[in-house]
Amino acid sequence: MAATFDPYDKSSWYFGPMSRQDATDLLLAEEGGVFLVRDSTTIHGDFVLCVKEDSKVSHYIINKIQQGEQTNYRIGDQMFDDLPNLLAFYKLHYLDTTPLIRPAPRRIEKILAKYDFEGRDADDLPFKKGEILTVVSKDEEQWWTAKNSFGRTGSIPVPYVQKIEDGHHSLNDGNRSMSGGSNPVSQHQEAVNKRTNIQRKLPAYARVKQARVPNAYDKTALKLEVGDIIKVTKMNINGQWEGELNGKVGHFPFTHVEFVDSENNDGVDES
C-alpha cells in the first residue's frame, strides 16, 4: 500500500507526551505501516517513532542532536535536518518490515471538568466544573489543548479534568462523584495538596520541571526555565501560585514545578 500522509502536517502524526504502553495499545489494532511520533519518556527533548510492524509495535528512538545553532535528528545511523524529512525518508524506505504508510487515527477523547478554571494566559481555555471538553492534543504532561462545546480551543491544566470512560460517565455521574456534600473549594485544594504530596509550610522552594514563556501582555507572570529554583509564597486555589524568581515576584502554573524535598534539596534551605 502506498503512503498516504503529509510529513509536514505535524498535527496528523505528532501525539506529544504518551506512554509506550498507550502507543502500543493504539497501534496494535492497526495494519502494518501505521505510525505515530511521541515524546520520549526517558530523555527530555528526544522523540520515539512507533510503528506497527507485522504482529508487533516497534519503538524507534529519535535523538535530538544540538550542535551550536544546528539541530539534527538521528534515528539509527541516519541523520536528518528535521522530523518531516525523517518521515519522508521512511515513506520510501523500510524500517524493519515496512515503510511508513499513514499516521494512527486519533481517538475522540472526552473529558469532564472537575473544577472551575478561569485561565490567566490568552491561550488558556476557561471552563466551569461539569463542562464536557474534547481533547485536541496532549502537548505537555500537565497541559493539554482542548475544545469546548462552542468550538473554542485553548490550553487546559490536566489535574483539573478527568477522563470520561465510554459508557461509564455522564455529566450527572461526574457531578455526583465530585459532590457528596463537600465544599468544592476544599476538594480542589485537596487535589492541589495531593499533587504536591504534602501540606507545605510556606514559603517553600520548588524546582521548575517544565519551561513556560508567559504571554507578553501578562506582566505579572514569571518566565520559567527548567532547573530554576523558585520561592513559593502562596498556593492559590485556581492553580496559579505566587512566588519569587530571580528577584521578580509574580504568578506561575503549579503544574510546572515540584517542591524541593528537604532530604534532597541540593543545598536549598527550605526553612
Side-chain angles (χ1 to χ4, degrees):
M1 180 183 295
T4 57
F5 71 95
D6 177 3
Y8 288 92
D9 181 11
K10 183 178 178 180
S11 64
S12 69
W13 47 260
Y14 177 59
F15 280 59
M18 188 180 202
S19 71
R20 179 188 181 97
Q21 189 59 54
D22 285 347
T24 298
D25 291 344
L26 178 60
L27 290 170
L28 270 178
E30 300 295 331
E31 62 186 340
V34 176
F35 73 97
L36 63 86
V37 176
R38 60 179 173 87
D39 293 341
S40 169
T41 56
T42 54
I43 304 177
H44 181 73
D46 283 0
F47 301 92
V48 181
L49 173 60
C50 309
V51 189
K52 173 66 180 297
E53 296 193 272
D54 292 336
S55 59
K56 71 180 189 302
V57 175
S58 302
H59 300 262
Y60 298 95
I61 188 71
I62 302 173
N63 298 120
K64 184 178 181 180
I65 310 295
Q66 194 79 40
Q67 296 176 324
E69 296 183 359
Q70 181 70 32
T71 302
N72 290 304
Y73 297 86
R74 182 180 65 202
I75 179 170
D77 58 358
Q78 300 285 342
M79 194 81 76
F80 300 91
D81 293 336
D82 55 31
L83 291 177
N85 277 322
L86 183 155
L87 298 178
F89 179 84
Y90 286 107
K91 284 176 74 172
L92 305 174
H93 298 80
Y94 277 58
L95 286 145
D96 182 10
T97 63
T98 179
L100 302 179
I101 302 299
R102 61 176 173 82
R106 292 183 182 273
R107 294 171 178 167
I108 297 176
E109 188 174 350
K110 298 286 186 180
I111 49 178
L112 174 72
K114 298 193 290 185
Y115 315 107
D116 292 350
F117 175 60
E118 297 177 1
R120 293 295 291 266
D121 294 343
D123 59 351
D124 287 345
L125 176 65
F127 52 79
K128 296 292 185 183
K129 174 186 171 183
E131 269 192 65
I132 301 291
L133 305 172
T134 302
V135 176
V136 175
S137 60
K138 298 182 178 181
D139 315 282
E140 305 172 14
E141 182 180 352
Q142 298 297 336
W143 286 90
W144 293 350
T145 299
K147 181 169 62 176
N148 64 17
S149 59
F150 300 102
R152 180 181 172 186
T153 61
S155 297
I156 63 165
V158 176
Y160 283 41
V161 300
Q162 67 185 43
K163 293 182 179 180
I164 300 176
E165 303 296 336
D166 293 340
H168 291 97
H169 283 279
S170 66
L171 182 58
N172 290 333
D173 291 335
N175 285 334
R176 280 199 300 272
S177 66
M178 297 305 297
S179 57
S182 301
N183 185 329
V185 172
S186 64
Q187 289 179 335
H188 195 166
Q189 187 63 58
E190 181 183 349
V192 171
N193 293 340
K194 190 176 296 183
R195 276 194 50 75
T196 59
N197 298 323
I198 188 170
Q199 179 66 50
R200 294 280 171 166
K201 180 180 179 181
L202 300 180
Y205 289 90
R207 180 180 289 106
V208 176
K209 62 179 181 179
Q210 189 170 306
R212 186 167 176 83
V213 178
N215 186 294
Y217 298 102
D218 190 347
K219 301 303 182 184
T220 62
L222 294 177
K223 180 180 179 181
L224 306 179
E225 296 287 346
V226 174
D228 283 348
I229 299 296
I230 189 168
K231 183 179 182 181
V232 181
T233 56
K234 188 175 182 181
M235 296 162 61
N236 294 318
I237 292 173
N238 66 2
Q240 290 288 337
W241 289 0
E242 297 174 22
E244 183 179 341
L245 176 62
N246 298 327
K248 181 180 178 181
V249 175
H251 66 82
F252 57 94
F254 79 96
T255 50
H256 284 53
V257 303
E258 55 189 355
F259 280 113
V260 178
D261 293 330
S262 56
E263 66 271 14
N264 184 29
N265 61 8
D266 295 336
V268 177
D269 184 6
E270 280 196 298
S271 61

